[in-house]
Amino acid sequence: MTKAYPFNRPTLAGSEVEAILDAIERRHISGNGSYTKQCHNWLQNYIRGSKALLTHSCTAALEMSGILAGLEPGDEVIMPSFTFTSTANAFVLRRATPVFVDVREDTLNIDETLIEAAITPKTKAICVVHYAGVAAEMDAIMSIAARHGLFVIEDAAQAMFATYKGRPLGSIGHMSAFSFHETKNIMSGEGGALIVNDPSLRERSEIIWEKGTDRAKFERGEVAKYSWVDVGSSFLPSDIIAAFLLKQLESGAEITRSRLEIWNRYQTAFQHKHNAGVARCPTIPSHCAHNGHIFFLLVSEACERDRVLARARAENVSSIIHYVPLHSAPAGLRFGRLGSTMAVTDSIASRLIRLPLHVQLDEGDQSYIIDVMTRALENAPATV
Ligand SMILES: *Cc1c(COP(=O)(O)O)cnc(C)c1O
């Protein structure tokens, strides 16, 4: 049988099963048990003080952020189009309109210089995405938001263990959402967390999390009984998931180190293709520390990409494309509108190739992948 080189393989820390058994033994299997609390403490410590709430997905955390931002029908949320559907869906569920702004050529993150022109009296929030764990330009974005009285929501789904000017991503906006989906660096199968950095949103975040009740206050002994006080939903994961996640978080620094090693090996291996203008490697600004979430190459044209992907596939290497831009997707056309031209988004989305990257990728396997990709890129027309 020929060996396959999958794009991703979920990494286990090793102690997850033991923690899950312990969670079951404790007989608190629903949400907000001891492992959930330990994850909250871990995240709050990591993010340096803010409130953390585990959710069953990053999508759920983004939906909570839409409720917390007080979005009303017709309100607008500025965001990139080069992202996952949840970035927009979470706000469309509140009947808000996603306003798509183009991305930067270098980091593929929202182009902060185009944001201000997209602001209208209906704009309520800016949702940034830290693509591949590389930070959006948060200083500029936070000051635009302050000038216009807008919330900044970080879709930090890919950004665990990445920083911007030394600050952890997820700690800068008013609210942030992490993903612990199996495809992310730190995972619990499905999972996520909402980070609430704005102190004025903290109390309400607990209520929304607990199905619209003040149960958190009740648990702290602040009220004699809990009751229905606001809108909300069931956003908590079971403590079994939290037990799994805690072990992942505790191994996170090590997992990130391994990923960065693999990422750096790719960067070195493809530097000559980059220099020759055949395939561009990622750009990491010097004030950003990334987390090795994605290694991509930007080839010259869409037709070129299809040829390269087919050649890789023929040699069992699962290199894959990434987002189909939201602005031109059927639901994007129906629910969103353009806040700028989409020239960069359309161009990069049609040229991007992601290479296999997971902790179980050993040096031999990676050398094979590099060799296959290098040959697949041969005779490729130079990028402009
Ligand atoms: C993965 C991802 C999500 C969704 O995360 P889930 O935990 O699967 O809901 C949202 N936004 C971005 C940018 C992502 O990469």
Side-chain angles (χ1 to χ4, degrees):
M1 210 176 87
T2 49
K3 184 168 171 176
Y5 296 82
F7 175 72
N8 181 48
R9 286 199 71 190
T11 305
L12 291 181
S15 43
E16 288 92 344
V17 171
E18 207 178 310
I20 285 173
L21 286 176
D22 184 57
I24 295 169
E25 298 277 313
R26 282 167 187 272
R27 294 292 189 275
H28 182 129
I29 297 166
S30 61
N32 210 11
S34 90
Y35 280 101
T36 301
K37 290 183 171 111
Q38 288 180 73
C39 287
H40 287 171
N41 287 339
W42 192 98
L43 285 164
Q44 277 155 204
N45 188 41
Y46 169 78
I47 223 83
R48 299 170 193 171
S50 308
K51 180 159 194 64
L53 290 168
L54 289 195
T55 55
H56 44 79
S57 63
C58 177
T59 301
L62 287 167
E63 286 172 16
M64 286 182 73
S65 79
I67 300 172
L68 280 166
L71 295 179
E72 284 173 15
D75 284 346
E76 295 177 348
V77 180
I78 292 172
M79 66 182 68
S81 163
F82 185 64
T83 181
F84 189 61
T85 57
S86 297
T87 316
N89 244 331
F91 307 119
V92 169
L93 280 173
R94 315 246 46 91
R95 304 233 168 274
T97 303
V99 175
F100 299 114
V101 164
D102 211 356
V103 292
R104 296 166 55 112
E105 289 263 10
D106 55 0
T107 59
L108 317 187
N109 286 325
I110 191 165
D111 186 338
E112 69 283 0
T113 66
L114 302 175
I115 290 175
E116 215 144 16
I119 294 174
T120 75
K122 289 184 169 175
T123 309
K124 278 278 170 65
I126 303 167
C127 185
V128 303
V129 176
H130 305 299
Y131 184 69
V134 179
E137 275 311 317
M138 292 310 290
D139 280 351
I141 292 165
M142 292 307 289
S143 72
I144 293 168
R147 261 201 309 284
H148 295 272
L150 309 176
F151 283 114
V152 173
I153 299 160
E154 292 177 71
D155 181 341
Q158 304 174 13
M160 198 76 216
F161 288 100
T163 63
Y164 172 77
K165 300 186 179 175
R167 298 152 72 192
L169 295 184
S171 72
I172 304 169
H174 299 89
M175 293 168 266
S176 315
F178 285 118
S179 174
F180 304 119
H181 183 264
E182 177 180 295
T183 50
K184 305 303 199 280
N185 291 14
I186 310 299
M187 60 92 194
S188 53
E190 303 282 349
L194 175 75
I195 303 295
V196 183
N197 295 319
D198 181 338
S200 72
L201 301 172
R202 276 186 212 167
E203 188 175 323
R204 192 164 185 232
S205 70
E206 289 179 337
I207 292 168
I208 292 167
W209 190 61
E210 282 273 27
K211 302 126 187 144
T213 71
D214 55 356
R215 186 180 182 138
K217 274 188 164 171
F218 170 71
E219 283 207 352
R220 285 194 296 265
E222 293 166 22
V223 289
K225 53 184 168 45
Y226 71 85
S227 52
W228 183 26
V229 294
D230 199 344
V231 296
S233 188
S234 181
F235 288 112
L236 313 72
S238 143
D239 221 43
I240 294 175
I241 296 289
F244 187 108
L245 180 63
L246 182 68
K247 296 303 154 188
Q248 288 267 319
L249 291 170
E250 288 172 354
S251 305
E254 206 180 310
I255 292 170
T256 306
R257 250 194 319 277
S258 304
R259 295 188 72 100
L260 284 169
E261 253 174 52
I262 296 166
W263 193 100
N264 289 332
R265 224 177 282 139
Y266 275 140
Q267 174 90 330
T268 306
F270 292 107
Q271 201 55 49
H272 67 288
K273 294 286 183 196
H274 178 91
N275 294 341
V278 171
R280 218 186 84 195
C281 291
T283 308
I284 313 294
S286 61
H287 55 277
C288 300
H290 73 108
N291 58 5
H293 180 56
I294 296 172
F295 185 88
F296 63 80
L297 292 169
L298 279 169
V299 297
S300 56
E301 279 157 25
C303 59
E304 168 63 8
R305 176 171 74 173
D306 292 343
R307 190 186 62 79
V308 171
L309 289 178
R311 284 182 67 173
R313 216 169 21 248
E315 300 196 62
N316 301 313
V317 172
S318 173
S319 292
I320 57 177
I321 66 169
H322 212 175
Y323 304 121
V324 176
L326 301 184
H327 71 273
S328 50
L333 293 169
R334 190 163 145 213
F335 298 119
R337 72 169 179 83
L338 293 185
S340 78
T341 63
M342 287 289 141
V344 180
T345 298
D346 285 331
S347 167
I348 56 113
S350 69
R351 297 188 289 117
L352 191 135
I353 295 176
R354 291 181 291 161
L355 305 197
L357 207 175
H358 53 85
V359 169
Q360 282 149 83
L361 192 63
D362 65 29
E363 246 181 286
D365 287 354
Q366 198 182 1
S367 299
Y368 174 81
I369 293 164
I370 290 167
D371 177 55
V372 167
M373 294 308 298
T374 303
R375 282 186 286 108
L377 287 164
E378 256 151 39
N379 309 317
T383 45
V384 269

